Amino acid sequence: MASTCCDLAAYSTRHQGISDRQKRLVLIGIVYFIENISEPIGRILGQRLILALEAPLLTDPVRKLITGYYVGNVVLKISHFQGATQASQLIQELQSLAQAAGHTQPLLIGLELESGLAKKNADNLQFTQFPSALSLAACKSLATVQHVGEAIGNELSSIGINWIYGPVLDIVSDLTEPLDASSRFGGNASTVGSLALAFIKGLRKSCIASCVMGTLASTIEEIYASLMQDDSREDATQGTDPEGLEALWHLRGENCLDSLQLSSSVHSLHYPIQLGRSIQIAISSIIRGHLEFHGPVLLDCSNFPLESVECPKHAPIRAFLGDCDMVRLSSDHDLQIASIEAIYTAVESGKLSESASATAAARVSTLKDQCSSWDLAFAKRKDLATVLSINSDLSQVAYRESITVLSPEPSPFLNLPPTAVLVLLAPTLLSRAIPANPANAAASDPFEPLGRALSRSHPRIRHVPYTISGGLTSTHITFLNLASAIVLVLCNASSAFSEAQDELATSVRTAVLQQESTPGAKMIRKVVLAAGDPRDLRGDWAGWWVSCCYEYTRGALDAAAEVISGERVATGVLPLQLR
């Protein structure tokens, strides 16, 4: 078998008699199999590769990767689609292409679902907007979480998705850590495991496999640090605390662990040889050994640390040498081809074992048997409109169950006089409460739906936006002086703007206290709502009615308005500690 080169310039040096067109054909894989590698091993290697589409188009490069290199797995970016119909058509074309190319099993068609179907995923596909992971955790109902998982699965399977990237098993372990409220189930590993298990059980009812995310980050970092001190150590796991295992055991014990992706945070470790060994030790000792999980383990190689800027093509090889079963390729097509050719070269030279590749491909094949078949790939889909009508009610129930109140007394807005002026102070942020048109995001006020929902019970509402950087202005003071009731909305103060938002909250409390201290003044009915991160409520809120929703989507804000107005009693629980 002839040796190969992954670089076009180097290939030209060694093959002077070949035309430029022929050299390009080698790089895109049309000639490659004839000259360099047998078709069977090429098919095996293709099952270990994941292609992330950068556009909702079946382009020639994508066709060649699936038909020439037998790439067997595709991840879609749903935000690129104009609707469910377009997504469904593309998925059907991808599966038809794979079948015509002789793939023995359908493609795994994956979707990154770290944030549920909240935000623009729901809008772009015209899908139901379901609560985020943290909102589901606040529901306190595993049955609700499982129903939501099943409902999301029904909608995804209706367009041909058979694999999702999620749920996320990261826990919020640091009270000062910025929180992506849409992706995590909370701060307790046991609770995270139980919620993830319920969600996956729901997905499986729709024949969708999961790939749990955010696993073993700190463990790999500890192994890496140990190897950096002594590269020859054989006991690098000694003294490490395998974070995330409790949640993983919940899934493993119920046989609900389909596949897992190692945490992307490992990409911050800059020495690829030690990182590769760290990943290998974590997989062999912890995942295969302690956890006894023998399904696919994957790594996103698009951000993998590189030996040098000239050799980004080697990142997938590093992952394979670290015993990962699957790798997600870079989104750059030339780099995809160079990476695949580098893999072939590594197999030819014996650096990568053919038997190890066959074992990894068998794990992928088993996963495909679980969630796909050619009959399923081309089966008539469920009517999406019917599914949506059922799921809309479930989404509303879940949002209502998630609203959390930390004050023991009923809402102060019960029996608020109709003549009372209610001032809504809310930040200006990128909207997540868009009804159906993401193109209007920049111009939309994210808390306008909250104002409209509150106005159904309190018509004299004044919605006064504030900017976190601008703080409390004279305009805000003027409205506060008119107010009989106030709703102050805080949003993700644990972000980079935490200090500014804390200062604004303090300014509002001080201004209200001064007004109430004026002789003859009436007490103002005061509500604070954390819309995203409940840790925004760690200040001194004595005299305020304290409430929380976990995102500022329309469903969450409508449910929060019902509770604030006193129409509904909150039943949600805090999914993480505030202090």
Side-chain angles (χ1 to χ4, degrees):
M1 196 179 289
S3 62
T4 64
C5 181
C6 312
D7 180 84
L8 182 58
Y11 187 90
S12 299
T13 302
R14 296 171 56 211
H15 298 273
Q16 298 289 342
I18 297 180
S19 69
D20 287 340
R21 180 176 181 276
Q22 287 173 311
K23 296 167 191 171
R24 177 58 58 186
L25 289 177
V26 171
L27 281 179
I28 63 175
I30 296 176
V31 175
Y32 192 89
F33 288 109
I34 299 173
E35 288 195 346
N36 299 291
I37 200 163
S38 65
E39 182 173 326
I41 189 62
R43 290 181 181 273
I44 287 172
L45 292 171
Q47 295 309 300
R48 304 184 67 185
L49 304 175
I50 304 169
L51 169 65
L53 294 193
E54 287 300 298
L57 300 171
L58 188 54
T59 61
D60 285 341
V62 171
R63 291 177 185 274
K64 290 164 185 172
L65 285 167
I66 293 174
T67 61
Y69 289 110
Y70 303 104
V71 171
N73 315 285
V74 176
V75 175
L76 303 178
K77 291 189 175 181
I78 295 302
S79 59
H80 289 165
F81 290 107
Q82 298 302 311
T85 300
Q86 184 193 37
S88 180
Q89 288 175 346
L90 175 63
I91 292 169
Q92 287 284 296
E93 291 174 359
L94 287 166
Q95 295 290 22
S96 297
L97 184 66
Q99 187 180 52
H103 287 233
T104 57
Q105 292 175 291
L107 303 173
L108 281 179
I109 304 289
L111 170 68
E112 292 178 297
L113 199 63
E114 289 189 29
S115 25
L117 285 180
K119 298 178 267 188
K120 61 185 178 182
N121 277 0
D123 286 330
N124 281 26
L125 281 182
Q126 296 104 47
F127 273 2
T128 305
Q129 190 168 58
F130 285 104
S132 65
L134 203 63
S135 296
L136 290 176
C139 289
K140 195 178 59 176
S141 169
L142 294 179
T144 297
V145 175
Q146 182 167 332
H147 289 325
V148 169
E150 182 178 1
I152 290 175
N154 283 334
E155 296 191 10
L156 294 179
S157 64
S158 73
I159 63 169
I161 298 292
N162 54 29
W163 188 39
I164 67 159
Y165 278 42
V168 175
L169 298 189
D170 280 336
I171 63 173
V172 185
S173 56
D174 185 346
L175 295 181
T176 64
E177 176 186 6
L179 172 67
D180 179 0
S182 64
S183 68
R184 306 190 193 190
F185 280 121
N188 179 276
S190 178
T191 301
V192 168
S194 297
L195 292 165
L197 176 61
F199 187 78
I200 290 172
K201 284 183 176 179
L203 287 173
R204 282 189 165 189
K205 289 188 175 183
S206 301
C207 209
I208 289 185
S210 61
C211 178
V212 298
M213 307 281 288
T215 55
L216 299 180
S218 63
T219 303
I220 293 174
E221 289 168 4
E222 290 176 16
I223 297 171
Y224 175 87
S226 176
L227 292 176
M228 289 300 294
Q229 292 177 357
D230 181 0
D231 191 57
S232 63
R233 287 191 62 174
E234 298 295 333
D235 60 344
T237 59
Q238 184 175 351
T240 63
D241 179 18
E243 140 277 338
L245 278 195
E246 185 173 358
L248 284 169
W249 267 116
H250 275 275
L251 308 183
R252 183 73 181 93
E254 296 281 339
N255 197 29
C256 283
L257 187 56
D258 302 326
S259 58
L260 65 87
Q261 175 167 298
L262 299 177
S263 174
S264 59
S265 66
V266 302
H267 297 316
S268 63
L269 307 176
H270 298 295
Y271 294 93
I273 294 176
Q274 287 80 2
L275 175 54
R277 285 196 60 207
S278 301
I279 291 172
Q280 182 182 38
I281 292 169
I283 292 175
S284 61
S285 298
I286 297 173
I287 295 175
R288 307 295 187 207
H290 183 64
L291 195 62
E292 297 182 344
F293 173 64
H294 298 287
V297 177
L298 54 144
L299 187 68
D300 183 350
C301 283
S302 59
N303 295 312
F304 199 93
L306 309 174
E307 294 173 303
S308 69
V309 293
E310 290 84 13
C311 297
K313 61 196 176 190
H314 291 155
I317 296 176
R318 289 290 180 202
F320 285 160
L321 290 173
D323 287 344
C324 289
D325 299 296
M326 305 172 74
V327 295
R328 177 167 169 170
L329 298 172
S330 164
S331 58
D332 179 81
H333 178 62
D334 289 337
L335 184 52
Q336 291 167 353
I337 298 300
S339 295
I340 296 173
E341 293 190 357
I343 292 169
Y344 288 163
T345 301
V347 171
E348 290 180 307
S349 68
K351 186 175 183 180
L352 285 179
S353 162
E354 289 192 22
S355 62
S357 288
T359 299
R363 293 186 179 117
V364 179
S365 178
T366 300
L367 177 63
K368 289 187 174 186
D369 283 340
Q370 173 186 321
C371 64
S372 68
S373 67
W374 288 120
D375 287 341
L376 276 177
F378 299 113
K380 184 178 180 180
R381 305 296 180 196
K382 297 178 182 178
D383 179 60
L384 183 56
T386 302
V387 173
L388 292 177
S389 65
I390 298 171
N391 290 349
S392 177
D393 291 340
L394 173 62
S395 175
Q396 184 181 51
V397 168
Y399 274 122
R400 285 173 171 170
E401 290 181 359
S402 72
I403 306 303
T404 306
V405 171
L406 305 185
S407 302
E409 63 273 5
S411 169
F413 288 5
L414 276 172
N415 304 316
L416 184 67
T419 56
V421 175
L422 168 59
V423 172
L424 170 62
L425 289 176
T428 55
L429 301 164
L430 179 64
S431 178
R432 293 183 184 179
I434 312 163
N437 187 1
N440 295 332
S444 299
D445 186 325
F447 295 102
E448 181 183 345
L450 178 62
R452 286 200 301 269
L454 288 170
S455 70
R456 291 196 290 266
S457 300
H458 310 292
R460 298 196 67 190
I461 188 169
R462 304 293 182 265
H463 181 182
V464 188
Y466 68 82
T467 62
I468 295 175
S469 58
L472 200 66
T473 67
S474 58
T475 301
H476 297 112
I477 297 296
T478 299
F479 278 98
L480 288 176
N481 290 337
L482 298 173
S484 301
I486 295 171
V487 176
L488 172 63
V489 179
L490 303 176
C491 191
N492 297 332
S494 295
S495 69
F497 301 103
S498 59
E499 185 175 345
Q501 182 142 94
D502 287 343
E503 290 176 358
L504 181 136
T506 300
S507 298
V508 171
R509 290 196 297 265
T510 301
V512 171
L513 184 61
Q514 289 175 347
Q515 181 180 344
E516 291 178 329
S517 301
T518 304
K522 294 182 179 180
M523 295 297 292
I524 298 174
R525 306 189 191 200
K526 304 177 288 293
V527 170
V528 58
L529 172 69
D533 189 341
R535 295 173 300 176
D536 292 353
L537 303 172
R538 287 179 291 188
D540 180 11
W541 294 103
W544 289 69
W545 199 70
V546 182
S547 58
C548 184
C549 60
Y550 302 90
E551 55 194 84
Y552 48 96
T553 52
R554 171 164 292 176
L557 296 176
D558 283 347
E562 292 177 338
V563 170
I564 292 171
S565 298
E567 300 171 20
R568 190 175 297 276
V569 176
T571 59
V573 297
L574 277 177
L576 49 84
Q577 294 181 342
L578 298 187
R579 292 175 177 85

